[in-house]
Amino acid sequence: MRHKENRHAGRAKRLDPLKRFLLERGSAHRQHFVHEDDVARATYVLAKRGERGTYNIAGDGMLASSEVATLLGARTLSLPTPVVRAINWVGWQLGLRGLVESPPELIDFLRYPWVLDNRRLKDELGFEYSYDSEAALRAYHDT
């Protein structure tokens, strides 16, 4: 993978050392991540060429939630699904953004993720991503 120098390197953000990812016990949620530079380049290429139809702009590879937590330096806490839902709902209702950072509806998005096939963009247009999913997440974390 080719990586460009991060133009925002001076603005490092870090998770609170007590930050925890609440994971559903027994789950293996997987997610795509795509870097903003790749999205901009792909959009430009599609517009410049006047392409029609659907092209999925999604980073190569997927990461499990546990891998995301590790890459972000967060500890994981594996709990039964009803407990994760209850903690998330209560935390969101009370505005405890240190406890939860997303609305309860996101739990289902993570449980049933969208899996995107980006082959059309790569095969038909020869598009090459600069960042795979892991590199995109690392770049986001480091900015």
Side-chain angles (χ1 to χ4, degrees):
M1 248 334 97
R2 185 178 94 242
H3 304 281
K4 295 182 264 179
E5 183 173 318
N6 191 331
R7 67 181 177 275
H8 305 291
R11 300 183 335 199
K13 64 181 161 207
R14 300 284 177 248
L15 288 176
D16 180 320
L18 299 176
K19 186 70 173 178
R20 300 231 193 278
F21 268 39
L22 298 179
L23 300 177
E24 293 177 277
R25 187 167 289 147
S27 68
H29 309 142
R30 300 190 64 77
Q31 306 166 59
H32 288 283
F33 293 90
V34 63
H35 195 279
E36 61 193 17
D37 291 347
D38 284 334
V39 172
R41 276 189 323 104
T43 303
Y44 175 79
V45 167
L46 290 166
K48 185 175 181 180
R49 291 183 56 158
E51 295 296 329
R52 302 263 184 224
T54 302
Y55 289 84
N56 293 321
I57 303 173
D60 285 327
M62 296 183 76
L63 300 172
S65 294
S66 58
E67 294 172 298
V68 171
T70 299
L71 288 169
L72 297 179
R75 296 183 221 164
T76 60
L77 184 58
S78 181
L79 300 168
T81 301
V83 175
V84 171
R85 286 185 182 282
I87 290 171
N88 188 268
W89 187 85
V90 169
W92 190 257
Q93 296 303 313
L94 296 176
L96 302 175
R97 297 307 181 259
L99 176 63
V100 295
E101 303 209 4
S102 57
E105 294 78 18
L106 186 61
I107 292 172
D108 282 337
F109 177 77
L110 294 172
R111 289 184 82 200
Y112 310 107
W114 295 4
V115 178
L116 301 175
D117 182 354
N118 63 12
R119 286 182 294 184
R120 182 173 182 209
L121 182 64
K122 295 189 306 183
D123 293 348
E124 290 182 17
L125 304 181
F127 186 82
E128 293 183 23
Y129 286 88
S130 296
Y131 299 81
D132 62 9
S133 284
E134 181 177 333
L137 179 62
R138 284 182 187 277
Y140 169 76
H141 180 258
D142 293 342
T143 60

